[in-house]
Amino acid sequence: MPSDQLFAPLRDAALSAGRLRTAVAYPMSASSLDAAVQAQRAGHIEPVLVGPARKLLDRLAQAGLRPGDFDIVDTPDDERMAAQTAAGLARDGLVQMLMKGSLHTDHFMAAVVSRESGLRTNRRVSHAFVMGVAAYAKLFILTDAAVNIAPTLMEKADIAQNAIDLAQALGIGRPKVAVLCATESVNPAMPATLDAAALSKMADRQQIRGGDIDGPLAFDNAISREAAEEKGIVSRVAGDADILLAPDIEAGNMLYKELTWLAGADTAGLVLGTRVPVLLTSRSDSVQARVNSCAIAVLHARAMQASRAD
C-alpha cells in the first residue's frame, strides 16, 4: 500500500472528531503560517495566531488570506513572549492544542515545559513520529528522535508509556513495542541492551501498561518476521512492531531521516507527556506531513479528554 494511504483512516477519524482550537505561536514565516492554514482547510484545527498583530495582519494580506477568518492574540514582537502567551492559552483551557510557528524550538519548548505553563504532567516529555513506509504493512511510531538526548531507564519507561497511549488513541488496542538496540542479545558492554531487557520486564510487571514490550531487538528483528525467525526469536513483538523505541536521540534521529529521505516515508510528529498535544512543525515538512500531524494531534487530544472524563 502507498505510504500516504496508511494515514487516510486517521485523517478521516480526525475529521469525524471535529476541529480543535490550536494556538500557533509566532507564525511569522510563510511556511509556518501556511502550516496552520492547510490544517484549517483540511478540517482539523481552528488556528489562533499568537504574535504581533500588526505584522500578522500584513502576513495574512501578503498570503491573500482574510484576517477575519482567524483569531489573533496580540503580543510584543518577541518569540519568547509569543510562546509563553500560547502556553498560557492552553493552560487556561482557551485552546486544546499548541503548534510551533517560526520561532526557535528551544524558545517554544521552554515555554511549554516551564513551571509557569502548567502543562507538565508527572511523565517525561517526549516526541513521537508516526511513520508510513511502503515496505511495511502498517503505520508505526518512532520515539524519541527529537527531544530526549540520552534517556535513562526510567525516562525510557515514560517515553514508552507516552507512545503506547498515543498508539491507543490512533486505534491500536494493544501496541507492540520493540526496544531497539544494535543486537538482540543482552550484553553488559552495551548498556542499551540492559535497559531494553529491563523495560520488557517492567511491562510484564505492569510498571508500563497497555502494550507488549520486547527487547533488545535489532531493527531487522523488530520489523521482519523472516529475520526474527531466522535468528530463532520467539516474541509477540518481533516482526510486527507498532512502536520502535530508540536507545538515544542520535539513533532515533538518523533512523527518522533515513526513512524519510531514502525510503520516502510519510510522517507526522507530536510532543507527548504534556496536558495538551504539542506540534513541532518544521520548514522542511511537507504539507501532507503537517496535515497528518494535526490529524493525530486531534485524535490524541480527544483520547486525553475522554480519559479525564472517565
Side-chain angles (χ1 to χ4, degrees):
M1 179 185 295
S3 56
D4 179 55
Q5 290 185 22
L6 294 170
F7 277 97
L10 297 185
R11 292 194 295 267
D12 291 343
L15 280 175
S16 299
R19 287 185 173 94
L20 290 181
R21 282 174 60 82
T22 303
V24 188
Y26 206 75
M28 304 309 296
S29 68
S31 61
S32 62
L33 184 59
D34 184 57
V37 171
Q38 294 298 335
Q40 181 190 45
R41 289 175 176 169
H44 299 315
I45 71 169
E46 288 295 347
V48 178
L49 308 182
V50 182
R54 187 180 298 277
K55 288 190 175 182
L56 282 169
L57 292 171
D58 289 343
R59 291 287 185 187
L60 291 169
Q62 291 168 12
L65 299 168
R66 296 185 301 178
D69 292 342
F70 301 89
D71 287 343
I72 295 176
V73 175
D74 188 23
T75 72
D77 191 3
D78 180 274
E79 291 186 359
R80 291 181 175 85
M81 285 294 296
Q84 291 166 8
T85 301
L89 293 173
R91 177 196 62 222
D92 296 339
L94 299 175
V95 298
Q96 290 77 50
M97 303 197 299
L98 292 175
M99 178 185 287
K100 173 180 168 289
S102 57
L103 73 170
H104 197 283
T105 297
D106 288 349
H107 296 165
F108 180 63
M109 288 305 300
V112 171
V113 303
S114 70
R115 292 179 182 273
E116 293 76 18
S117 75
L119 299 180
R120 295 291 298 270
T121 68
N122 292 330
R123 295 229 199 113
R124 181 78 175 181
V125 173
S126 62
H127 186 276
F129 284 110
V130 181
M131 310 195 73
V133 182
Y136 201 55
K138 60 183 179 179
L139 294 174
F140 62 91
I141 293 171
L142 173 63
T143 190
D144 183 338
V147 172
N148 290 283
I149 296 173
T152 65
L153 171 62
M154 297 310 294
E155 288 168 352
K156 288 178 181 178
D158 278 352
I159 292 168
Q161 190 68 69
N162 287 342
I164 288 169
D165 290 352
L166 173 61
Q168 291 179 331
L170 302 184
I172 303 171
R174 189 166 182 85
K176 300 172 183 176
V177 183
V179 187
L180 296 182
C181 296
T183 176
E184 63 279 356
S185 300
V186 174
N187 183 343
M190 303 174 73
T193 67
L194 301 178
D195 284 353
L199 290 167
S200 299
K201 183 52 66 177
M202 290 170 75
D204 290 344
R205 299 288 170 82
Q206 296 297 299
Q207 290 176 262
I208 305 170
R209 297 177 178 270
D212 296 320
I213 301 181
D214 197 9
L217 289 172
F219 181 76
D220 56 343
N221 313 141
I223 55 92
S224 168
R225 290 188 188 278
E226 181 180 354
E229 290 171 359
E230 182 69 25
K231 293 191 175 182
I233 298 172
V234 179
S235 166
R236 293 188 300 271
V237 174
D240 193 34
D242 299 298
I243 298 169
L244 304 178
L245 198 159
D248 56 38
I249 198 171
E250 292 175 313
N253 194 267
M254 284 187 278
L255 181 55
Y256 161 71
K257 289 178 178 173
E258 287 159 0
L259 290 169
T260 302
W261 293 97
L262 288 179
D266 284 281
T267 66
L270 197 61
V271 172
L272 308 170
T274 49
R275 296 194 181 281
V276 300
V278 177
L279 294 127
L280 287 178
T281 55
S282 168
R283 287 174 296 177
S284 63
D285 286 343
S286 67
V287 170
Q288 196 59 67
R290 297 168 183 173
V291 173
N292 290 342
S293 296
C294 288
I296 68 167
V298 167
L299 294 175
H300 190 42
R302 293 300 190 195
M304 293 167 70
Q305 292 167 359
S307 177
R308 293 185 192 118
D310 292 341

